[in-house]
Amino acid sequence: METPLINGRTRVVGIFGDPVEHTFSPAMHNAAFAALCLNFAYLPFRVRKEELPAAVAGLRALGLVGVNVTVPHKEAVLPYLDEVTPEAKLIGAVNTVVNRNGRLTGYNTDATGFLRALREAGCEPAGAEAVVLGAGGAARAVCMALGMAGARRIVVFNRTYERAQALSREVQANTETTAVALPWEDLNKRKADVFQAAGVVIQTTSIGMHPEKSACPAVSPAAFRKNQLVVDLIYNPVETRFLQMAAEAGAATQNGLRMLLYQGIAAFELWTGSSPPEEIMLQGLAAMKGA
Ligand code: NDP
């Protein structure tokens, strides 16, 4: 396998975020470009909040093929795009932009990636009963994806209760799914009626993420059971304390690596029109662990 040299024909993609130092995406995409001998390069771009409009104008001016968009720009980028897919519009966030001859289209491949990862873990979202911890950007993608895929009921816990209420109202208004908001303080009180009743529990907060590896949402181990899938969107560390606790209680678990991989694959396909070698992308991600 030859890594293509950067030359006058190299096509550029990248990621807009702040911070971007810890992103795993360049490793994943550049490994796939090299494996397919595609003359593309994926670069990190640290874009401060106030510089986002200039960065989007630069994307057009420099003819970038597209970018991923991450914290804090996923919602803020929408007004600067020419069009947004109905899914991304409903989620209210874009994580992938494609530049077609100066016309910018926004997609949300986090939602696609999440659903693919969920199905791979054996959980069919249609008809599912889900508990979601968090109501931030990732939770929005998860809840809307579940709603659009026909989940029966979602219970959302969030520290800022108003955000949980707003998210559940939006899910109810735009999908057939029943959505309920509960206060964060109730996490440990709703073992039997909420947690045990759910087929899938999804942890979307940043609690337990590197470097705060010992942190864990205040859920009791008694909340989990066999024949239940527990997902944590965090991928660094590979197993959060939350996932560890769920696994010890007999639940099946999945970390955020699969969602990260599948959102990346969907973005790769949008930019290049080619299907990437998934194993190589996964190896690219694995090489970043602990980086
Ligand atoms: P946001 O900043 O949008 O949301 C953060 C969420 O975490 C909010 O619900 C926030 O609650 C909650 N939270 C943060 N700290 C605490 C705390 N100490 N106690 C209780 N709640 C807390 O971030 P994102 O939604 O974009 O990302 C969240 C996580 O998901 C990150 O770990 C990120 O890496 C991961 N992620 C993984 C992806 C993947 O592909 N695997 C994709 C996207 C995200 P409040 O509303 O009260 O502030």
Side-chain angles (χ1 to χ4, degrees), residues 70-71 74-75 95 110 113-114 133-141 157-161 163-164 184 187 203-209 215 217 232-236 255-264:
T70 190
V71 177
K74 282 186 182 181
E75 292 166 30
N95 77 321
D110 280 338
F114 167 71
L133 273 59
R140 285 190 64 85
F157 288 93
N158 195 50
R159 176 179 62 181
T160 309
Y161 183 49
R163 287 183 92 188
W184 192 249
L187 264 185
Q203 198 306 99
T204 79
T205 77
S206 42
I207 301 171
M209 189 168 72
D232 197 324
L233 298 196
I234 291 172
Y235 45 84
N236 185 14
N255 69 17
L257 213 55
R258 288 280 151 185
M259 174 174 167
L260 182 70
L261 173 67
Y262 294 143
Q263 65 75 30

Side-chain angles (χ1 to χ4, degrees), residues 208 213-216 232 237 239-246:
K213 292 180 188 172
S214 60
C216 184
D232 197 324
E239 189 179 46
T240 56
R241 276 198 56 206
F242 186 75
L243 278 194
Q244 218 173 349
M245 183 168 71

Side-chain angles (χ1 to χ4, degrees), residues 7-32:
N7 58 26
R9 295 181 203 280
T10 302
R11 310 193 67 200
V12 177
V13 290
I15 182 163
F16 287 179
D18 186 15
V20 282
E21 287 82 357
H22 301 294
T23 176
F24 283 28
S25 292
M28 168 165 71
H29 286 283
N30 288 322

Side-chain angles (χ1 to χ4, degrees), residues 131 186-198 201 216-226 228 230 241-251:
V131 171
D186 283 6
L187 264 185
N188 202 16
K189 296 182 197 156
R190 308 299 292 263
K191 293 185 273 287
D193 63 334
V194 173
F195 278 93
Q196 291 261 333
V201 176
C216 184
V219 179
S220 150
F224 304 112
R225 61 170 167 83
K226 287 200 170 60
Q228 185 181 48
V230 178
R241 276 198 56 206
F242 186 75
L243 278 194
Q244 218 173 349
M245 183 168 71
E248 280 163 12

Side-chain angles (χ1 to χ4, degrees), residues 25-107:
S25 292
M28 168 165 71
H29 286 283
N30 288 322
F33 294 145
L36 291 183
C37 289
L38 286 177
N39 195 352
F40 275 68
Y42 187 111
L43 303 174
F45 296 103
R46 181 179 175 199
V47 174
R48 291 185 175 80
K49 259 187 189 166
E50 59 280 12
E51 298 290 354
L52 181 64
V56 176
L59 190 174
R60 272 200 186 91
L62 298 172
L64 268 60
V65 174
V67 286
N68 281 137
V69 180
T70 190
V71 177
H73 307 307
K74 282 186 182 181
E75 292 166 30
V77 77
L78 264 76
Y80 304 106
L81 305 176
D82 298 302
E83 58 188 359
V84 170
T85 63
E87 194 178 56
K89 199 171 193 171
L90 192 57
I91 295 165
V94 158
N95 77 321
T96 301
V97 176
V98 181
N99 178 11
R100 296 185 182 93
N101 303 316
R103 191 169 173 78
L104 304 185
T105 306
Y107 298 81

